[in-house]
Amino acid sequence: MDSLHEPDSRSWISKEIRPKQILDKYQERVAAYKPYQGTNETNVRPFHLQQMVNVDDEMFKDLEEAMDIENLTTEGEPCPMQLVNPNWNGGVYGIAIPRYNETPIPEAGRLTLRTLYVQAEWNKRAKKDNPQDKDKTMVASRKKELLEPNDNFYLSQPPKQLYRGVFSDNKHLYTIKVYRPFVHPNIAIKDTFSNKDLTLAQEIWVLGEHTLADFRDKITCSIDNNFVGKQQVDTLNKLAPRAGDVYKSGFLFINSCFYLDTRHKDNIDYSQVIIDWASKSNRNLGPFKKGVMETTKFQDLEFRVGYPYVFTHQGNHEHLFCITDVRLVGPDDPQSENKYPLIRSVGVQQSRMCMVCQIKIATWVTVNNSRVAENPFFFCTLCYKSFNLKVDGSKEGEFEEYRYHDVNSV
């Protein structure tokens, strides 16, 4: 496959590596720098920092003076507040800064900026002396939304992480980006098109001891929610069968190896037809190997960082995915194995809107419908019933109808 992608001419693609070997050596070097269990960047002592940078006492003293945060203070700036570090019990400015220090709102600002006016009015109402005043509930309501009991902290932060020395700087973390499928152009059919740019679907974090099957189970795709068969609507007595529950076959193609999902006895080997196709002609592809998805761990793989690999399911539904980073777990990362595999982020894609009202997201699609101008044609539920069904529930004209699950529904 290297003859197609030319990885040596693309700067963002690495050489073939076995990350476990590299990270194991790096882990040993990190452990050597840590003088005691539980050391991280927030509690390391100056003596240990001096050892890490390997400078003499005089130069280290100059570094401390140059890096002092007080050097950034300018005359007339607001009084600093003690912000919360999720990995440390205390503020990043230390105990010298009052945690609940409030900066008075100047009269000029209160009369000029509406935000300051509203805040000043809120403070006035919330500090009334009458304990029975209903406005007292304003303080309690706001404090419930904050990490600290201080109405100045309009911060959105994750819960505080409990640092674990046996986890952080020890576990191997793989960052994988999964992209949405795109339509391959077919020059024989004039109406086909192709999206030129890849669209990110998910960023998933896995640990080295996770299997490829663990990663596969975290990939969400709206195609798996499609109803298969004649029953296209769930009923109280019987749920409509979904494609993900009926067709569970799939493979991950990594470094010329097809890793098959064999967890279910009826799963099909999608890779064999590809291997046969590549071997029967002079296409300069292969040789290919086969592996088992549920028994192969990420720490056992050899691959290229930044190289496009493929996940295939539902017969021919292909997702490109790329391993973009391999590193040790840090103290700011989730500190529990139960948090992984972790869906770190999801991409944004425009929903398919109803082609009648252009207001609601489509929930039905019709094919070969002679009463509409496009094929296929997408409807929201209300427009589908109003346009395609008679009063008695029978069809108005001839067409095939299927439930449509939008990409943003998952």
Side-chain angles (χ1 to χ4, degrees), residues 2-42:
D2 289 352
S3 61
L4 298 176
H5 295 289
E6 299 180 351
D8 295 333
S9 63
R10 306 181 190 276
S11 59
W12 61 87
I13 298 179
S14 72
K15 301 292 183 181
E16 286 190 5
I17 60 172
R18 190 175 291 274
K20 186 178 186 306
Q21 298 177 353
I22 300 174
L23 291 178
D24 284 344
K25 293 180 181 179
Y26 182 63
Q27 181 181 339
E28 294 175 0
R29 296 188 62 179
V30 171
Y33 277 121
K34 285 189 174 183
Y36 60 91
Q37 186 72 16
T39 300
N40 57 49
E41 66 268 19
T42 60

Side-chain angles (χ1 to χ4, degrees), residues 95-131:
I95 60 175
I97 303 299
R99 177 173 296 184
Y100 306 114
N101 184 34
E102 292 188 8
T103 302
I105 299 176
E107 186 67 12
R110 188 184 71 85
L111 298 176
T112 306
L113 297 177
R114 181 171 178 80
T115 53
L116 294 182
Y117 169 78
V118 173
Q119 178 64 17
E121 291 298 314
W122 188 94
N123 289 335
K124 185 187 300 184
R125 295 174 58 193
K127 293 179 179 178
K128 290 183 178 180
D129 296 333
N130 185 4

Side-chain angles (χ1 to χ4, degrees), residues 151-189:
D151 57 88
N152 288 318
F153 290 160
Y154 296 96
L155 301 177
S156 177
Q157 300 188 56
K160 295 181 179 180
Q161 300 285 335
L162 179 62
Y163 176 79
R164 296 177 58 200
V166 297
F167 192 84
S168 185
D169 294 332
N170 285 282
K171 296 292 185 178
H172 301 174
L173 180 64
Y174 295 71
T175 301
I176 309 172
K177 291 186 177 181
V178 183
Y179 298 91
R180 301 197 189 281
F182 57 93
V183 179
H184 293 275
N186 188 342
I187 60 176
I189 304 177

Side-chain angles (χ1 to χ4, degrees), residues 32-36 44-57 60 63:
Y33 277 121
K34 285 189 174 183
Y36 60 91
V44 67
R45 302 296 186 267
F47 173 73
H48 303 136
L49 285 174
Q50 183 178 352
Q51 284 186 321
M52 294 172 66
V53 297
N54 193 23
V55 296
D56 56 33
D57 295 341
F60 186 74
L63 282 174

Side-chain angles (χ1 to χ4, degrees), residues 190-205:
K190 296 181 180 181
D191 294 336
T192 60
F193 62 94
S194 174
N195 295 329
K196 295 181 179 180
D197 297 328
L198 290 177
T199 303
L200 177 68
Q202 297 171 279
E203 180 179 293
I204 302 176
W205 287 4

Side-chain angles (χ1 to χ4, degrees), residues 329-395:
V329 173
D332 291 334
D333 301 322
Q335 300 290 300
S336 173
E337 293 90 340
N338 297 331
K339 299 292 184 179
Y340 301 90
L342 171 68
I343 300 179
R344 182 63 177 82
S345 61
V346 295
V348 177
Q349 181 166 312
Q350 185 176 0
S351 294
R352 173 76 72 173
M353 308 304 293
C354 173
M355 300 171 76
V356 177
C357 65
Q358 296 291 332
I359 297 176
K360 298 181 179 179
I361 296 177
T363 56
W364 286 90
V365 57
T366 63
V367 181
N368 300 325
N369 192 338
S370 60
R371 300 178 65 241
V372 296
E374 298 185 36
N375 186 36
F377 201 91
F378 295 87
F379 298 87
C380 67
T381 302
L382 180 60
C383 292
Y384 169 77
K385 292 181 179 179
S386 301
F387 185 81
N388 295 295
L389 301 182
K390 300 178 181 179
V391 178
D392 59 359
S394 60
K395 291 183 180 180

Side-chain angles (χ1 to χ4, degrees), residues 58-111:
E58 184 176 357
M59 182 174 291
F60 186 74
K61 183 178 180 180
D62 293 340
L63 282 174
E64 282 188 311
E65 294 177 353
M67 300 299 291
D68 191 348
I69 193 172
E70 294 299 329
N71 293 336
L72 302 176
T73 303
T74 58
E75 184 177 356
E77 71 177 55
C79 179
M81 293 171 54
Q82 192 178 95
L83 303 180
V84 176
N85 187 323
N87 298 296
W88 190 25
N89 294 326
V92 295
Y93 293 112
I95 60 175
I97 303 299
R99 177 173 296 184
Y100 306 114
N101 184 34
E102 292 188 8
T103 302
I105 299 176
E107 186 67 12
R110 188 184 71 85
L111 298 176

